[in-house]
Amino acid sequence: MIKLKKILTDSFSLLMKKPLLFLPKLVIAFLYSIPMIFLPAITFASLDFSSPKTSLLSELVFWMIIIFCISLLDILFNSMYSFISKDYLNKKNISLIQSFKKALNKFRTVFPSIILTDLIFIVIAFIVSIPLGFFIMLNSLELIILFSLIYFVIILILFIAFYLIYPIASLESFTAINSLKQSVFLAKKNFKKISVVSLFSFGLSFLSISLPFLIELLIQSNSPIILAVIAFVLVRFLTAIIATYYYVLNPVFYLEAELK
């Protein structure tokens, strides 16, 4: 626990010493905000059978391409934090530009590693959600609770198994498949260490997802538009702050936790 406390504080210290590190995730939060503003209108319009679908389809494709491009940049930024953390722990000069270039050089490994990880999450989550959906239709409260817990545990296990995928894919000389294998291997061999920090990181992820809902509870549906705008900006800002700490903590843990 003493080691974990040091890792948490080292990650926090890095951000406090170099607050410019918040900038990449703030940029990503801003970029994601643009489709978030426009997509709801397109979605509602698609439900209106009287509206022309050809133009809506082209708009939807356009925004999907934009989201994909933002996702690519997000992956690059997330990978960049691994190089920044390594330089910080090695007491080297930290450069966002140089770290970004290193992330760009490793993109051919990092990108497929992340895509494969996401696909594993999606496929397993979909398979598990089938019986859960069935029990929801049956309105069986006991089975809904049981499978919800099973669903949560499976997602948490996957989270632990692939927690180290970014620093491994970014900092090591593995292929995409071997990066996944190494992440799972280290998770099995160091389950206690990784599960503890994963639970903390999982909590951060849950908090960032929950923020919009928490703030929505504080805002009535008839609230002034300015209040809704302020809430939206606040949510995006806080999400970016939490995400920055998450992606700094991840490689700091990998480099400091003495995983073997």
Side-chain angles (χ1 to χ4, degrees):
M1 290 303 293
I2 295 175
K3 188 72 175 180
L4 178 59
K5 183 179 178 180
K6 182 179 183 302
I7 291 169
L8 296 175
T9 53
D10 282 351
S11 303
F12 185 76
S13 297
L14 169 55
L15 292 174
M16 291 301 99
K17 291 177 181 177
K18 301 289 182 179
L20 193 63
L21 298 184
F22 287 108
L23 182 60
K25 298 305 285 186
L26 287 170
V27 169
I28 292 296
F30 170 75
L31 292 175
Y32 271 129
S33 298
I34 299 172
M36 286 175 67
I37 292 171
F38 288 97
L39 278 176
I42 298 173
T43 303
F44 287 126
S46 65
L47 298 175
D48 182 5
F49 294 103
S50 62
S51 61
K53 295 296 183 288
T54 306
S55 61
L56 286 175
L57 181 60
S58 61
E59 286 185 53
L60 187 60
V61 170
F62 169 78
W63 285 114
M64 290 300 102
I65 293 172
I66 293 297
I67 291 172
F68 178 73
C69 292
I70 297 172
S71 299
L72 293 180
L73 185 61
D74 196 18
I75 291 173
L76 275 170
F77 283 160
N78 295 340
S79 176
M80 181 182 72
Y81 286 114
S82 293
F83 298 102
I84 290 171
S85 299
K86 185 177 182 179
D87 287 341
Y88 172 72
L89 294 175
N90 290 333
K91 302 186 185 305
K92 294 182 179 179
N93 183 48
I94 294 174
S95 168
L96 288 178
I97 296 175
Q98 290 303 316
S99 297
F100 184 81
K101 288 180 179 178
K102 291 176 183 177
L104 201 57
N105 290 333
K106 291 288 292 185
F107 191 69
R108 284 181 294 179
T109 300
V110 175
F111 178 70
S113 300
I114 301 307
I115 294 301
L116 285 172
T117 302
D118 289 344
L119 284 175
I120 292 171
F121 266 92
I122 291 169
V123 170
I124 294 180
F126 175 74
I127 293 171
V128 177
S129 68
I130 293 173
L132 179 59
F134 178 72
F135 293 128
I136 290 174
M137 290 177 62
L138 290 178
N139 201 25
S140 175
L141 182 60
E142 294 83 2
L143 289 173
I144 290 173
I145 294 173
L146 175 62
F147 269 82
S148 294
L149 290 173
I150 293 173
Y151 188 88
F152 175 79
V153 170
I154 290 174
I155 294 300
L156 186 58
I157 290 173
L158 289 174
F159 193 87
I160 293 170
F162 298 111
Y163 179 70
L164 298 175
I165 191 62
Y166 262 111
I168 289 174
S170 301
L171 301 176
E172 307 296 347
S173 299
F174 292 124
T175 62
I177 295 295
N178 287 337
S179 292
L180 269 69
K181 289 181 179 179
Q182 182 68 3
S183 181
V184 173
F185 171 76
L186 289 177
K188 287 171 65 178
K189 198 168 185 178
N190 304 273
F191 183 78
K192 186 177 180 180
K193 284 182 181 180
I194 295 179
S195 61
V196 171
V197 75
S198 292
L199 282 171
F200 180 81
S201 298
F202 192 83
L204 288 177
S205 298
F206 182 78
L207 177 60
S208 66
I209 294 170
S210 302
L211 273 174
F213 300 98
L214 293 173
I215 292 182
E216 179 64 27
L217 290 175
L218 301 176
I219 302 175
Q220 301 298 322
S221 58
N222 58 349
S223 298
I225 186 66
I226 185 64
L227 191 58
V229 171
I230 292 173
F232 179 78
V233 172
L234 180 62
V235 165
R236 303 307 301 153
F237 176 79
L238 292 176
T239 300
I241 298 300
I242 294 171
T244 303
Y245 182 69
Y246 174 93
Y247 284 105
V248 166
L249 172 63
N250 187 260
V252 169
F253 172 78
Y254 177 69
L255 294 166
E256 281 197 338
E258 299 176 359
L259 306 174
K260 296 178 181 180

mmCIF file of all heavy atoms in Angstrom, residues 28-57:
data_model
loop_
_atom_site.group_PDB
_atom_site.id
_atom_site.type_symbol
_atom_site.label_atom_id
_atom_site.label_comp_id
_atom_site.label_asym_id
_atom_site.label_seq_id
_atom_site.Cartn_x
_atom_site.Cartn_y
_atom_site.Cartn_z
ATOM 1 N N ILE A 28 -8.916 17.102 -26.673
ATOM 2 C CA ILE A 28 -9.761 15.963 -27.054
ATOM 3 C C ILE A 28 -11.186 16.163 -26.558
ATOM 4 O O ILE A 28 -12.164 15.899 -27.288
ATOM 5 C CB ILE A 28 -9.180 14.645 -26.497
ATOM 6 C CG1 ILE A 28 -7.872 14.302 -27.201
ATOM 7 C CG2 ILE A 28 -10.189 13.506 -26.625
ATOM 8 C CD1 ILE A 28 -8.013 14.029 -28.682
ATOM 9 N N ALA A 29 -11.328 16.642 -25.333
ATOM 10 C CA ALA A 29 -12.661 16.884 -24.778
ATOM 11 C C ALA A 29 -13.405 17.920 -25.611
ATOM 12 O O ALA A 29 -14.609 17.778 -25.877
ATOM 13 C CB ALA A 29 -12.549 17.352 -23.330
ATOM 14 N N PHE A 30 -12.691 18.970 -26.039
ATOM 15 C CA PHE A 30 -13.304 20.004 -26.877
ATOM 16 C C PHE A 30 -13.724 19.435 -28.230
ATOM 17 O O PHE A 30 -14.832 19.681 -28.709
ATOM 18 C CB PHE A 30 -12.322 21.164 -27.073
ATOM 19 C CG PHE A 30 -12.769 22.164 -28.109
ATOM 20 C CD1 PHE A 30 -13.785 23.072 -27.816
ATOM 21 C CD2 PHE A 30 -12.200 22.177 -29.373
ATOM 22 C CE1 PHE A 30 -14.221 23.979 -28.776
ATOM 23 C CE2 PHE A 30 -12.626 23.084 -30.329
ATOM 24 C CZ PHE A 30 -13.641 23.984 -30.035
ATOM 25 N N LEU A 31 -12.835 18.640 -28.835
ATOM 26 C CA LEU A 31 -13.128 18.072 -30.150
ATOM 27 C C LEU A 31 -14.320 17.114 -30.098
ATOM 28 O O LEU A 31 -15.183 17.124 -30.986
ATOM 29 C CB LEU A 31 -11.897 17.348 -30.706
ATOM 30 C CG LEU A 31 -10.703 18.245 -31.075
ATOM 31 C CD1 LEU A 31 -9.507 17.400 -31.496
ATOM 32 C CD2 LEU A 31 -11.083 19.227 -32.179
ATOM 33 N N TYR A 32 -14.380 16.297 -29.057
ATOM 34 C CA TYR A 32 -15.513 15.377 -28.906
ATOM 35 C C TYR A 32 -16.819 16.130 -28.645
ATOM 36 O O TYR A 32 -17.903 15.622 -28.947
ATOM 37 C CB TYR A 32 -15.257 14.396 -27.765
ATOM 38 C CG TYR A 32 -14.534 13.140 -28.173
ATOM 39 C CD1 TYR A 32 -13.399 12.705 -27.475
ATOM 40 C CD2 TYR A 32 -14.977 12.359 -29.237
ATOM 41 C CE1 TYR A 32 -12.720 11.550 -27.846
ATOM 42 C CE2 TYR A 32 -14.305 11.196 -29.604
ATOM 43 C CZ TYR A 32 -13.183 10.800 -28.905
ATOM 44 O OH TYR A 32 -12.523 9.644 -29.271
ATOM 45 N N SER A 33 -16.701 17.313 -28.074
ATOM 46 C CA SER A 33 -17.893 18.104 -27.766
ATOM 47 C C SER A 33 -18.630 18.540 -29.029
ATOM 48 O O SER A 33 -19.852 18.705 -29.014
ATOM 49 C CB SER A 33 -17.514 19.346 -26.953
ATOM 50 O OG SER A 33 -16.933 18.989 -25.720
ATOM 51 N N ILE A 34 -17.890 18.719 -30.116
ATOM 52 C CA ILE A 34 -18.507 19.195 -31.364
ATOM 53 C C ILE A 34 -19.514 18.186 -31.917
ATOM 54 O O ILE A 34 -20.680 18.539 -32.140
ATOM 55 C CB ILE A 34 -17.420 19.537 -32.401
ATOM 56 C CG1 ILE A 34 -16.513 20.652 -31.858
ATOM 57 C CG2 ILE A 34 -18.056 19.967 -33.727
ATOM 58 C CD1 ILE A 34 -15.293 20.935 -32.709
ATOM 59 N N PRO A 35 -19.134 16.911 -32.134
ATOM 60 C CA PRO A 35 -20.155 15.952 -32.579
ATOM 61 C C PRO A 35 -21.244 15.707 -31.535
ATOM 62 O O PRO A 35 -22.385 15.400 -31.891
ATOM 63 C CB PRO A 35 -19.350 14.676 -32.860
ATOM 64 C CG PRO A 35 -18.057 14.844 -32.154
ATOM 65 C CD PRO A 35 -17.787 16.311 -32.141
ATOM 66 N N MET A 36 -20.890 15.849 -30.253
ATOM 67 C CA MET A 36 -21.893 15.666 -29.202
ATOM 68 C C MET A 36 -23.004 16.708 -29.304
ATOM 69 O O MET A 36 -24.146 16.455 -28.919
ATOM 70 C CB MET A 36 -21.229 15.740 -27.821
ATOM 71 C CG MET A 36 -20.412 14.510 -27.468
ATOM 72 S SD MET A 36 -19.533 14.705 -25.893
ATOM 73 C CE MET A 36 -20.906 14.754 -24.751
ATOM 74 N N ILE A 37 -22.664 17.875 -29.834
ATOM 75 C CA ILE A 37 -23.653 18.945 -29.992
ATOM 76 C C ILE A 37 -24.547 18.686 -31.198
ATOM 77 O O ILE A 37 -25.762 18.890 -31.148
ATOM 78 C CB ILE A 37 -22.944 20.312 -30.136
ATOM 79 C CG1 ILE A 37 -22.265 20.689 -28.803
ATOM 80 C CG2 ILE A 37 -23.936 21.396 -30.548
ATOM 81 C CD1 ILE A 37 -21.375 21.902 -28.896
ATOM 82 N N PHE A 38 -23.952 18.189 -32.288
ATOM 83 C CA PHE A 38 -24.695 18.046 -33.548
ATOM 84 C C PHE A 38 -25.405 16.698 -33.703
ATOM 85 O O PHE A 38 -26.450 16.618 -34.349
ATOM 86 C CB PHE A 38 -23.749 18.267 -34.736
ATOM 87 C CG PHE A 38 -23.320 19.691 -34.911
ATOM 88 C CD1 PHE A 38 -22.107 20.135 -34.409
ATOM 89 C CD2 PHE A 38 -24.151 20.599 -35.565
ATOM 90 C CE1 PHE A 38 -21.712 21.455 -34.565
ATOM 91 C CE2 PHE A 38 -23.761 21.921 -35.733
ATOM 92 C CZ PHE A 38 -22.549 22.360 -35.233
ATOM 93 N N LEU A 39 -24.841 15.631 -33.151
ATOM 94 C CA LEU A 39 -25.400 14.296 -33.370
ATOM 95 C C LEU A 39 -26.825 14.102 -32.827
ATOM 96 O O LEU A 39 -27.630 13.423 -33.466
ATOM 97 C CB LEU A 39 -24.470 13.235 -32.792
ATOM 98 C CG LEU A 39 -23.289 12.845 -33.690
ATOM 99 C CD1 LEU A 39 -22.382 11.859 -32.981
ATOM 100 C CD2 LEU A 39 -23.778 12.254 -35.005
ATOM 101 N N PRO A 40 -27.178 14.675 -31.654
ATOM 102 C CA PRO A 40 -28.557 14.499 -31.179
ATOM 103 C C PRO A 40 -29.602 14.988 -32.176
ATOM 104 O O PRO A 40 -30.628 14.333 -32.386
ATOM 105 C CB PRO A 40 -28.588 15.326 -29.885
ATOM 106 C CG PRO A 40 -27.189 15.310 -29.407
ATOM 107 C CD PRO A 40 -26.347 15.353 -30.638
ATOM 108 N N ALA A 41 -29.346 16.128 -32.815
ATOM 109 C CA ALA A 41 -30.301 16.659 -33.790
ATOM 110 C C ALA A 41 -30.446 15.715 -34.977
ATOM 111 O O ALA A 41 -31.557 15.489 -35.480
ATOM 112 C CB ALA A 41 -29.842 18.035 -34.269
ATOM 113 N N ILE A 42 -29.332 15.136 -35.426
ATOM 114 C CA ILE A 42 -29.377 14.191 -36.539
ATOM 115 C C ILE A 42 -30.140 12.934 -36.138
ATOM 116 O O ILE A 42 -30.918 12.379 -36.924
ATOM 117 C CB ILE A 42 -27.944 13.835 -36.995
ATOM 118 C CG1 ILE A 42 -27.230 15.088 -37.502
ATOM 119 C CG2 ILE A 42 -27.954 12.762 -38.072
ATOM 120 C CD1 ILE A 42 -25.769 14.866 -37.820
ATOM 121 N N THR A 43 -29.907 12.482 -34.894
ATOM 122 C CA THR A 43 -30.592 11.287 -34.399
ATOM 123 C C THR A 43 -32.100 11.501 -34.363
ATOM 124 O O THR A 43 -32.872 10.641 -34.823
ATOM 125 C CB THR A 43 -30.086 10.922 -32.994
ATOM 126 O OG1 THR A 43 -28.660 10.739 -33.033
ATOM 127 C CG2 THR A 43 -30.744 9.640 -32.500
ATOM 128 N N PHE A 44 -32.535 12.637 -33.815
ATOM 129 C CA PHE A 44 -33.978 12.924 -33.746
ATOM 130 C C PHE A 44 -34.576 13.073 -35.152
ATOM 131 O O PHE A 44 -35.697 12.632 -35.407
ATOM 132 C CB PHE A 44 -34.228 14.191 -32.930
ATOM 133 C CG PHE A 44 -34.027 13.992 -31.454
ATOM 134 C CD1 PHE A 44 -33.171 14.817 -30.734
ATOM 135 C CD2 PHE A 44 -34.695 12.982 -30.771
ATOM 136 C CE1 PHE A 44 -32.978 14.643 -29.373
ATOM 137 C CE2 PHE A 44 -34.518 12.794 -29.410
ATOM 138 C CZ PHE A 44 -33.650 13.617 -28.703
ATOM 139 N N ALA A 45 -33.804 13.682 -36.050
ATOM 140 C CA ALA A 45 -34.290 13.861 -37.422
ATOM 141 C C ALA A 45 -34.450 12.517 -38.122
ATOM 142 O O ALA A 45 -35.356 12.330 -38.938
ATOM 143 C CB ALA A 45 -33.333 14.755 -38.203
ATOM 144 N N SER A 46 -33.575 11.565 -37.808
ATOM 145 C CA SER A 46 -33.662 10.241 -38.430
ATOM 146 C C SER A 46 -34.912 9.487 -37.986
ATOM 147 O O SER A 46 -35.391 8.588 -38.682
ATOM 148 C CB SER A 46 -32.413 9.419 -38.103
ATOM 149 O OG SER A 46 -32.347 9.148 -36.715
ATOM 150 N N LEU A 47 -35.444 9.859 -36.824
ATOM 151 C CA LEU A 47 -36.666 9.228 -36.321
ATOM 152 C C LEU A 47 -37.918 9.830 -36.948
ATOM 153 O O LEU A 47 -39.018 9.276 -36.806
ATOM 154 C CB LEU A 47 -36.735 9.367 -34.791
ATOM 155 C CG LEU A 47 -35.603 8.688 -34.001
ATOM 156 C CD1 LEU A 47 -35.715 9.005 -32.518
ATOM 157 C CD2 LEU A 47 -35.620 7.184 -34.235
ATOM 158 N N ASP A 48 -37.733 10.963 -37.632
ATOM 159 C CA ASP A 48 -38.851 11.616 -38.325
ATOM 160 C C ASP A 48 -38.940 11.052 -39.746
ATOM 161 O O ASP A 48 -38.095 11.320 -40.587
ATOM 162 C CB ASP A 48 -38.613 13.139 -38.363
ATOM 163 C CG ASP A 48 -39.764 13.876 -39.026
ATOM 164 O OD1 ASP A 48 -40.782 13.219 -39.365
ATOM 165 O OD2 ASP A 48 -39.654 15.099 -39.209
ATOM 166 N N PHE A 49 -39.974 10.240 -40.002
ATOM 167 C CA PHE A 49 -40.087 9.543 -41.281
ATOM 168 C C PHE A 49 -40.363 10.501 -42.446
ATOM 169 O O PHE A 49 -40.212 10.129 -43.607
ATOM 170 C CB PHE A 49 -41.193 8.491 -41.204
ATOM 171 C CG PHE A 49 -40.870 7.375 -40.251
ATOM 172 C CD1 PHE A 49 -41.452 7.329 -38.995
ATOM 173 C CD2 PHE A 49 -39.958 6.393 -40.606
ATOM 174 C CE1 PHE A 49 -41.146 6.305 -38.117
ATOM 175 C CE2 PHE A 49 -39.651 5.365 -39.733
ATOM 176 C CZ PHE A 49 -40.242 5.323 -38.475
ATOM 177 N N SER A 50 -40.768 11.729 -42.144
ATOM 178 C CA SER A 50 -41.056 12.688 -43.205
ATOM 179 C C SER A 50 -39.806 13.389 -43.724
ATOM 180 O O SER A 50 -39.829 14.026 -44.774
ATOM 181 C CB SER A 50 -42.059 13.746 -42.709
ATOM 182 O OG SER A 50 -41.511 14.474 -41.631
ATOM 183 N N SER A 51 -38.698 13.296 -42.965
ATOM 184 C CA SER A 51 -37.462 13.988 -43.367
ATOM 185 C C SER A 51 -36.686 13.128 -44.356
ATOM 186 O O SER A 51 -36.707 11.903 -44.281
ATOM 187 C CB SER A 51 -36.594 14.275 -42.137
ATOM 188 O OG SER A 51 -36.233 13.063 -41.502
ATOM 189 N N PRO A 52 -35.973 13.757 -45.318
ATOM 190 C CA PRO A 52 -35.185 13.003 -46.313
ATOM 191 C C PRO A 52 -34.020 12.279 -45.649
ATOM 192 O O PRO A 52 -33.271 12.874 -44.878
ATOM 193 C CB PRO A 52 -34.689 14.094 -47.268
ATOM 194 C CG PRO A 52 -34.739 15.355 -46.473
ATOM 195 C CD PRO A 52 -35.880 15.213 -45.519
ATOM 196 N N LYS A 53 -33.874 10.998 -45.952
ATOM 197 C CA LYS A 53 -32.872 10.182 -45.278
ATOM 198 C C LYS A 53 -31.498 10.254 -45.957
ATOM 199 O O LYS A 53 -30.480 9.973 -45.333
ATOM 200 C CB LYS A 53 -33.345 8.721 -45.225
ATOM 201 C CG LYS A 53 -34.594 8.511 -44.370
ATOM 202 C CD LYS A 53 -34.306 8.848 -42.915
ATOM 203 C CE LYS A 53 -35.506 8.578 -42.012
ATOM 204 N NZ LYS A 53 -36.582 9.540 -42.199
ATOM 205 N N THR A 54 -31.447 10.628 -47.225
ATOM 206 C CA THR A 54 -30.171 10.664 -47.950
ATOM 207 C C THR A 54 -29.208 11.668 -47.328
ATOM 208 O O THR A 54 -28.039 11.365 -47.070
ATOM 209 C CB THR A 54 -30.391 11.020 -49.424
ATOM 210 O OG1 THR A 54 -31.338 10.123 -49.988
ATOM 211 C CG2 THR A 54 -29.077 10.936 -50.185
ATOM 212 N N SER A 55 -29.697 12.871 -47.083
ATOM 213 C CA SER A 55 -28.843 13.909 -46.492
ATOM 214 C C SER A 55 -28.455 13.553 -45.059
ATOM 215 O O SER A 55 -27.331 13.828 -44.619
ATOM 216 C CB SER A 55 -29.563 15.259 -46.512
ATOM 217 O OG SER A 55 -30.767 15.197 -45.757
ATOM 218 N N LEU A 56 -29.400 12.917 -44.329
ATOM 219 C CA LEU A 56 -29.109 12.515 -42.957
ATOM 220 C C LEU A 56 -28.007 11.463 -42.927
ATOM 221 O O LEU A 56 -27.132 11.489 -42.064
ATOM 222 C CB LEU A 56 -30.372 11.965 -42.285
ATOM 223 C CG LEU A 56 -31.444 12.970 -41.890
ATOM 224 C CD1 LEU A 56 -32.672 12.260 -41.345
ATOM 225 C CD2 LEU A 56 -30.902 13.949 -40.851
ATOM 226 N N LEU A 57 -28.046 10.545 -43.874
ATOM 227 C CA LEU A 57 -27.040 9.487 -43.946
ATOM 228 C C LEU A 57 -25.660 10.071 -44.224
ATOM 229 O O LEU A 57 -24.670 9.675 -43.597
ATOM 230 C CB LEU A 57 -27.408 8.480 -45.036
ATOM 231 C CG LEU A 57 -26.448 7.288 -45.198
ATOM 232 C CD1 LEU A 57 -26.383 6.487 -43.908
ATOM 233 C CD2 LEU A 57 -26.877 6.417 -46.369
#
